[in-house]
Amino acid sequence: MIYDHLVVRYGELSLKGKNRRHFESQLFETVKRKMRPFQGLNMSKHFDRIVIELNGQSYEPIVKSLQDIFGIHSISLAVRAENDLEAIQKAALIALNEAIEGKKTFKVTGKRSLKSFPVNSMQLNQEVGGYLLRNTEGLTVDVHNPDVNVKVEVKDTGTYISSKSFEGAGGLPIGVGGKAMLMLSGGIDSPVAGYLTMKRGVRIEGVHFHSPPFTSERAKQKVIDLTQELTRYSGGKIKLHVVPFTKIQQTIKDKIPSSYSMTIMRRVMLRITERLAENNHAMAIANGENLGQVASQTMHSMYAINEVTNMPILRPVITMDKLEIMNISHRIGTYDISIRPYEDCCTIFLPSAPKTKPKREKAIRFEKNIENLEELIEEAVNDVETLILEEGKSTDETFDDLL
Amino acid sequence: MIYLDNSATTKPYKEVLDTFVTVSEKYFANPSSLHSKGGEAEKLLGQARKSIAQLLEVASSEVVFNSGGTEGNNIAIKGIAFQHQNRGKHLITSSVEHASSHESFQYLESQGFEITYLPVDQDGLISLEDLERSIRPDTILVSLIHVNNETGTIQPIQEIGKILKEHPKIFFHVDNVQGVGKVDLPLKEWGIDLCTISAHKIHGLKGNGILFVKNGVSISSLFTGGEQELKKRAGTENVAGIVAMAKALRLILQESKEKKENLFEIKQFLIEELRSIDGIDINTSMKYSAPHIINFSVKGIKPEVLIHSLDKRDVYVSTRSACSSKQGGASRILLEMGLGENRASTAIRLSTSYGNSLKEAEKAIKVIKEELLNIKKVMR
């Protein structure tokens, strides 16, 4: 492998005007953290890119890891050459040969940001392209749809030549968009919602409602494992708040007509999540709600439930089809965890016929049946168990000596 | 004791046995049980799966546990054949597969499948041209052994993977029972869809194996009756054996990093010494073989006789494959390599692992020489 550099290009950052510097340093921090397990890399931050010197490391696992980071548009394998036309031509030939196997057409995209370099971009295309044509056989130039695009970028730090690129995750660097509390049930949708929320640069903390003994340790573990998986995209850590919910669920069962129990339960969950958001300085709530998927997710339902909070509720998967959500879930590694078959608090007390068109007024009236609701909420919030999950750190150290 | 029958089975690592005992005592519950003890066992099973997946550089969902090499090969070959027979009934394999694959193919033949058995050369290698020529529109599977269990021959899996990349509809199964920890096989890079691994060849316990099934590859299951192992293999998981296997895999991969050169050195020594003995022919390819298997034939001496006389001196070797060693007669593999009836019926296999030393090899050669003399005296 002749590639000795990775060029990491930013996504939408170039549009961000004054915030740009902040965004860039956030992204650089995340990249540095993510690269910690790899030895011997050199990283440097530039105006529109991060350059990683591989120092002999193989690039595949590094690229794979970089593809988890939001705010990155693309990752290219690159050779660095001195700013000298002959050196550039030679390096370009090596890069092309690496990438061309079995393909037929190429083009050269030259870019000269170092204006003192005597060859301009147009000339660069011709000089390098011509050299490549002379020194290969059976290849032709196709400027519209080339099989391989040899990018040549002349910078003050040297010329970077790349012919192989990988798509980045897109989005904005984590940490530039504030923080949201993510309601995590253990299903397929909510982790995807968390992923998409983070994609816009938002940090998340998880909130899970746990009702032992009705819901099991395995259901809780499932949510812990989901959160652990999401740390890959979070820039390091995610806090997970586990709310003791048994007492409230039992009270709802006692005091609320079963057709409205689900509506009231969701209202209470929102109130608790809002309180946790305030306590943890978050400004929004995110969840995996999807229009029309289940009874709690009709528009009528959302209208009746949403009333209890003024906080913005982010619903990244609101309009998606189940298949679209599942595709993302496969891609981000949460699907296999989500399908573990344990009951969670949303399914265990589910009445046989929940109202799909609950009325707001009725919900308010029924809710009054629980006189000590504030107290119950207070208690649940106070007794929350908070776990901190960190990327790359297993929560199961107890088994290490067995494995 | 000088144990040179590691291709038949390896001695379990001490750490592996410790794990097996601990797990059997502490996490004995059925991982499918709903109570918390079941939950613990399931969690442990999940950790073992994850650990194995990481070691093999694949996804956890691609690791299917089963009872070992024979089952792995059966599930892979019959599983693909039955699942995809609507697309075609032609399968390709070689003539030098382990019995568990070979007989699976013979069975499929009796069920109306058409099998191409690729021939091999004197080194035991198939030819890539033969393979390419055999591919037809109705071919659904190519299944090959990576490291031959009798001779140690390594098939060109990487090149075959490249050829099959041009035929995305053909599944590629590799029997890697002998190769794990001895010869590298990057599953993802080389385009492998299914791969068989067995625990007791890597210092784990008998009765445990791994079948790698690439995500998206569907197979029909041979065992039904539960949702275990992603519905690909029903039956309560052998948690203790599986966790022990995860440990064995980790340990042997670590040993392989540190000590593979030793194996090569021992093999080199054994082959040179054996070659210098009158009447011995080396059947293992010098150029294309794994570091741990040495196969040779001794003119005019029944292999059983030599094995028993070495046995008395505390040196343990075998004839060809343990799985078919009791059948007697000539080795199918050596015959296929064109070595002739005589050589094929007088073959002895030495197989080493990381526990063996050069000193043991020296001692073994000394004993072999002495016993050969003794036997020859008696036989004359």
Side-chain angles (χ1 to χ4, degrees):
Chain A
M1 170 49 61
I2 48 103
Y3 290 107
D4 44 12
H5 287 75
L6 291 176
V7 175
V8 177
R9 292 187 179 79
Y10 307 151
E12 287 175 31
L13 289 196
S14 44
L15 309 172
K16 296 299 172 195
K18 278 184 190 162
N19 283 325
R20 186 187 173 111
R21 192 185 289 259
H22 168 54
F23 282 28
E24 280 175 10
S25 45
Q26 277 290 351
L27 182 61
F28 192 50
E29 285 311 307
T30 307
V31 170
K32 274 202 291 194
R33 181 194 291 269
K34 196 87 175 174
M35 292 296 105
R36 257 184 224 161
F38 303 100
Q39 311 270 307
L41 303 181
N42 277 342
M43 280 171 272
S44 52
K45 186 167 69 133
H46 303 265
F47 173 70
D48 54 354
R49 65 190 53 212
I50 293 168
V51 175
I52 300 177
E53 284 176 50
L54 291 171
N55 290 325
Q57 294 272 349
S58 75
Y59 68 86
E60 287 99 343
I62 296 173
V63 168
K64 221 170 152 219
S65 195
L66 289 168
Q67 284 178 312
D68 287 345
I69 302 175
F70 292 122
I72 291 178
H73 173 69
S74 71
I75 303 137
S76 303
L77 287 170
V79 207
R80 188 182 163 281
E82 291 306 319
N83 287 340
D84 165 75
L85 186 59
E86 204 176 314
I88 292 170
Q89 286 171 327
K90 278 187 183 147
L93 181 62
I94 298 172
L96 177 68
N97 282 333
E98 278 274 331
I100 201 76
E101 202 189 347
K103 298 170 187 150
K104 295 216 151 43
T105 62
F106 73 96
K107 75 167 178 177
V108 176
T109 313
K111 217 172 159 186
R112 180 192 60 161
S113 53
L114 178 72
K115 297 299 172 197
S116 63
F117 190 68
V119 185
N120 74 25
S121 302
M122 281 300 285
Q123 289 166 335
L124 208 53
N125 291 346
Q126 288 161 8
E127 293 286 350
V128 176
Y131 180 87
L132 293 179
L133 280 175
R134 283 195 301 279
N135 289 283
T136 51
E137 267 173 40
L139 298 185
T140 52
V141 170
D142 179 347
V143 290
H144 300 294
N145 263 322
D147 296 327
V148 175
N149 185 358
V150 182
K151 291 184 196 159
V152 179
E153 298 176 273
V154 187
K155 306 232 150 216
D156 51 358
T157 50
T159 299
Y160 295 92
I161 298 141
S162 58
S163 56
K164 260 188 188 170
S165 283
F166 304 88
E167 211 177 320
L172 297 172
I174 199 82
V176 306
K179 183 161 61 178
M181 306 305 275
L182 171 71
M183 300 172 77
L184 267 171
S185 64
I188 293 170
D189 301 356
S190 49
V192 171
Y195 171 84
L196 293 171
T197 304
M198 286 191 282
K199 184 170 181 181
R200 298 313 296 171
V202 178
R203 280 193 200 285
I204 56 167
E205 292 187 13
V207 178
H208 177 64
F209 294 87
H210 184 42
S211 307
F214 304 105
T215 60
S216 68
E217 278 304 302
R218 273 148 137 171
K220 180 175 154 189
Q221 186 62 44
K222 185 175 165 186
V223 172
I224 293 174
D225 291 349
L226 284 171
T227 312
Q228 180 73 49
E229 200 62 36
L230 289 177
T231 57
R232 274 167 56 194
Y233 313 99
S234 75
K237 290 178 193 169
I238 300 181
K239 266 193 204 173
L240 173 65
H241 307 279
V242 180
V243 182
F245 205 51
T246 316
K247 212 165 159 187
I248 292 175
Q249 284 204 306
Q250 282 168 328
T251 313
I252 291 173
K253 185 128 191 8
D254 283 351
K255 306 221 163 153
I256 307 288
S258 75
S259 60
Y260 270 77
S261 61
M262 191 267 309
T263 311
I264 306 294
M265 183 184 82
R266 308 285 306 186
R267 285 168 64 100
V268 179
M269 283 176 166
L270 261 193
R271 286 195 182 93
I272 292 174
T273 308
E274 184 188 50
R275 292 280 299 277
L276 290 171
E278 282 160 3
N279 293 349
N280 292 283
H281 315 290
M283 287 180 292
I285 294 168
N287 65 28
E289 278 178 330
N290 174 268
L291 259 181
Q293 197 181 100
V294 292
S296 65
Q297 299 181 358
T298 62
M299 198 177 284
H300 288 81
S301 228
M302 283 182 204
Y303 181 74
I305 293 165
N306 212 146
E307 190 215 358
V308 302
T309 181
N310 266 328
M311 233 177 224
I313 300 186
L314 312 177
R315 299 180 174 94
V317 301
I318 190 81
T319 60
M320 285 186 192
D321 289 350
K322 194 73 186 178
L323 273 179
E324 295 175 74
I325 302 175
M326 278 162 60
N327 283 343
I328 299 177
S329 142
H330 274 294
R331 188 157 52 78
I332 66 174
T334 55
Y335 182 81
D336 288 325
I337 306 172
S338 288
I339 57 168
R340 290 186 207 156
Y342 312 122
E343 302 278 359
D344 63 43
C345 58
C346 299
T347 57
I348 203 111
F349 288 99
L350 191 70
S352 54
K355 271 252 180 295
T356 53
K357 293 183 177 177
K359 296 224 161 47
R360 201 185 251 194
E361 307 71 41
K362 274 195 177 171
I364 297 170
R365 179 146 51 80
F366 288 138
E367 214 170 66
K368 294 216 169 92
N369 293 351
I370 310 175
E371 312 85 20
N372 60 341
L373 185 60
E374 258 316 297
E375 229 171 87
L376 287 171
I377 289 175
E378 184 74 27
E379 198 184 320
V381 169
N382 287 338
D383 292 345
V384 157
E385 178 196 4
T386 298
L387 309 166
I388 297 175
L389 300 167
E390 204 171 329
E391 184 180 8
K393 277 201 186 152
S394 162
T395 48
D396 298 304
E397 275 115 13
T398 45
F399 292 145
D400 278 3
D401 53 333
L402 291 173
L403 293 163
Chain B
M1 175 180 83
I2 299 176
Y3 183 76
L4 296 174
D5 196 16
N6 288 280
S7 289
T9 214
T10 48
K11 185 181 174 194
Y13 290 122
K14 171 80 173 64
E15 296 90 328
V16 163
L17 291 173
D18 290 346
T19 286
F20 185 81
V21 170
T22 309
V23 177
S24 301
E25 273 175 0
K26 277 175 125 175
Y27 304 100
F28 59 87
N30 188 328
S32 297
S33 290
L34 281 174
H35 49 68
S36 58
K37 287 284 156 205
E40 276 176 7
E42 186 191 43
K43 199 164 151 186
L44 180 54
L45 186 69
Q47 284 294 310
R49 197 185 302 278
K50 200 165 150 189
S51 165
I52 286 171
Q54 276 167 358
L55 291 167
L56 299 177
E57 294 179 9
V58 302
S60 289
S61 53
E62 297 174 321
V63 173
V64 177
F65 294 128
N66 56 53
S67 71
T70 296
E71 189 186 327
N73 284 340
N74 270 270
I75 304 181
I77 294 164
K78 295 178 189 166
I80 288 289
F82 288 132
Q83 183 74 16
H84 301 282
Q85 55 185 323
N86 288 342
R87 230 174 50 208
K89 295 188 101 174
H90 177 237
L91 314 164
I92 299 175
T93 184
S94 83
S95 54
V96 292
E97 297 298 302
H98 183 265
S100 57
S101 292
H102 187 69
E103 288 171 28
S104 293
F105 280 109
Q106 289 185 322
Y107 168 76
L108 288 171
E109 227 169 351
S110 77
Q111 298 300 304
F113 286 86
E114 209 180 318
I115 321 287
T116 299
Y117 297 94
L118 300 171
V120 296
D121 62 14
Q122 288 239 331
D123 283 323
L125 289 171
I126 65 154
S127 108
L128 297 174
E129 291 77 45
D130 276 353
L131 172 75
E132 275 192 287
R133 260 200 305 273
S134 312
I135 293 172
R136 316 193 313 212
D138 60 340
T139 307
I140 54 173
L141 173 72
V142 171
S143 170
L144 289 166
I145 191 166
H146 177 212
V147 171
N148 186 276
N149 55 305
E150 288 191 30
T151 61
T153 299
I154 305 171
Q155 298 296 345
I157 301 296
Q158 183 176 18
E159 284 71 29
I160 297 164
K162 268 189 200 154
I163 292 174
L164 293 180
K165 261 193 192 136
E166 307 290 316
H167 305 272
K169 280 184 166 173
I170 302 178
F171 295 105
F172 186 22
H173 167 242
V174 177
D175 168 1
N176 195 29
V177 169
Q178 287 296 343
V180 186
K182 307 275 171 46
V183 185
D184 290 339
L185 185 79
L187 297 172
K188 289 284 159 94
E189 261 173 67
W190 289 5
I192 294 163
D193 296 305
L194 304 111
C195 177
T196 309
I197 290 170
S198 174
H200 76 108
K201 311 283 191 190
I202 54 170
H203 307 276
L205 297 161
K206 293 166 199 71
N208 287 103
I210 300 161
L211 180 66
F212 159 75
V213 183
K214 195 163 105 183
N215 277 337
V217 172
S218 60
I219 53 175
S220 119
S221 58
L222 304 186
F223 297 176
T224 49
E227 302 217 327
Q228 292 94 344
E229 298 308 300
L230 314 154
K231 294 188 198 168
K232 292 186 171 84
R233 200 266 189 184
T236 301
E237 292 93 346
N238 174 354
V239 181
I242 288 167
V243 178
M245 173 165 63
K247 189 167 223 171
L249 184 61
R250 181 169 65 74
L251 292 175
I252 199 163
L253 291 178
Q254 200 175 315
E255 282 213 280
S256 131
K257 252 187 220 158
E258 295 158 3
K259 298 193 194 157
K260 207 184 278 177
E261 288 311 307
N262 292 3
L263 284 193
F264 275 115
E265 208 181 319
I266 295 172
K267 173 179 161 188
Q268 198 76 25
F269 170 80
L270 286 171
I271 288 187
E272 273 164 28
E273 288 291 322
L274 289 168
R275 202 198 291 278
S276 71
I277 299 173
D278 202 26
I280 284 187
D281 288 310
I282 305 293
N283 303 325
T284 289
S285 156
M286 289 303 289
K287 215 169 160 192
Y288 306 103
S289 66
H292 65 299
I293 297 179
I294 301 109
N295 188 308
F296 61 94
S297 297
V298 196
K299 225 169 257 157
I301 289 182
K302 282 209 159 101
E304 285 82 351
V305 177
L306 181 57
I307 286 174
H308 294 313
S309 60
L310 294 177
D311 195 319
K312 279 195 200 114
R313 307 276 307 266
D314 225 10
V315 175
Y316 302 92
V317 308
S318 65
T319 64
R320 50 195 173 116
S321 150
C323 302
S324 36
S325 59
K326 286 181 187 153
Q327 292 162 10
S331 152
R332 171 172 56 85
I333 310 296
L334 298 183
L335 285 177
E336 287 293 340
M337 284 163 66
L339 300 183
E341 182 75 26
N342 276 340
R343 261 168 90 171
S345 55
T346 55
I348 298 276
R349 178 183 69 182
L350 310 182
S351 48
T352 59
S353 191
Y354 298 107
N356 293 116
S357 63
L358 198 55
K359 225 175 176 166
E360 286 180 329
E362 286 165 4
K363 178 85 193 294
I365 287 294
K366 190 169 159 267
V367 174
I368 289 172
K369 282 181 178 166
E370 289 169 8
E371 288 307 313
L372 280 176
L373 280 179
N374 284 340
I375 297 170
K376 276 180 187 158
K377 261 186 225 155
V378 178
M379 307 246 305
R380 265 172 216 153

